[in-house]
Amino acid sequence: MEEQQVVEAVATYLVREREPHPRALAHVIGTAAGASGCALTVAGERYQWGDGSGPWLDHAITYDGEQQGVLAVTPESAGPLPGVAAVLGAPLAVIRLEAETDRLRREGDAAARELGDDRWRAAAEMEQERRGLERDLHDGAQHHLVALRTSLALVEHSLANGGTREQVTDLLERLDTAERVLVDTAAGVLPVDLVNNGLAAALTAELSSHDDVVLDIGELRRRYPAVVESAVYFTCLEAVNNAHKHARGARITVRVRDSYRGLEFAVLDTGPGFDVTTARSGLRNLSTRAADVGGTVEVHSGPGRGTEISGFVPL
């Protein structure tokens, strides 16, 4: 078929279709030219009609001095089609702009989703840090404040009965310790003994001054990752703190040991106990902290039989 007839077939298709598709356009050109295959390449995409066994004859399609795509026909005997390529300049320019606009829109949507994800992750990380600081203050500094409250009551009673100023001096030292813990926790600083010497040393430094606390850590000999030691340290302090608040005067035992499975710990008291089914909310911090490092916490208690808070972090 003469090229002019191919141009007319293309023009008819373009008039009929307000939104021409490159593959349909290749079909029109290939059929009108008597080719076995026809392909249009626009914006990096190849739209082919026919089997295209080759060889191919390529025609560059330009518009306004800029290449918009490539027209290819096979076999070569279908003849050169420079007139068809010229007619296709403006339509392919529109198709290329639409394709690039769609690509840019998809990339923009992806970038917006990624930005949203980044913001969500940043917000989640900030919330996690905030909750971590909240737990550290609750489990560490509050432990000292509860002890101070108890000491104040004892000093008040002692002074009313002719006590000495030595107790006031001891109380001031406890206040200094509580202030240091608050400042260090707010700054994200872990206890020096915990960082340098491990969990056993940190628990000894923190709890050995409490007459009502017995430390059973003779079977704790190795170090664990810092996040694990920190989690177990603060969990034990919080459990001791709960015992001081709810089981005053009770004997408290803190037991931590290595096992072939991981790190085991428990805090037991001889207090009045409680119904665990009605007090789960107050123990949420303990479970959350252990879960953050892949561990678990269990609470065993009952009215009149004391309380045992046990936990485990696997290797």
Side-chain angles (χ1 to χ4, degrees), residues 195-210:
V195 174
N196 293 338
N197 304 313
L199 182 57
L203 289 173
T204 300
E206 187 65 35
L207 298 174
S208 59
S209 61
H210 292 267

Side-chain angles (χ1 to χ4, degrees), residues 2-66:
E2 295 184 358
E3 184 183 14
Q4 182 59 35
Q5 292 176 292
V6 180
V7 170
E8 291 175 358
V10 170
T12 301
Y13 170 79
L14 292 175
V15 170
R16 186 177 70 248
E17 298 292 336
R18 293 185 177 181
E19 297 181 359
H21 190 277
R23 186 169 286 105
L25 195 51
H27 182 192
V28 171
I29 297 170
T31 302
S36 62
C38 181
L40 284 169
T41 302
V42 188
E45 291 286 335
R46 182 180 174 89
Y47 303 90
Q48 182 173 317
W49 166 84
D51 56 17
S53 57
W56 292 85
L57 179 63
D58 293 343
H59 305 78
I61 300 173
T62 61
Y63 180 76
D64 198 21
E66 183 178 355

Side-chain angles (χ1 to χ4, degrees), residues 13 23 26 30 40 62 64 104 107 129 136 152 173 215 226 253 259 277 286 304:
Y13 170 79
R23 186 169 286 105
L40 284 169
T62 61
D64 198 21
L104 291 173
E107 290 177 356
E129 290 293 329
D136 289 349
L152 278 171
E173 292 177 355
L215 279 173
T253 300
S259 76
T277 62
L286 302 177

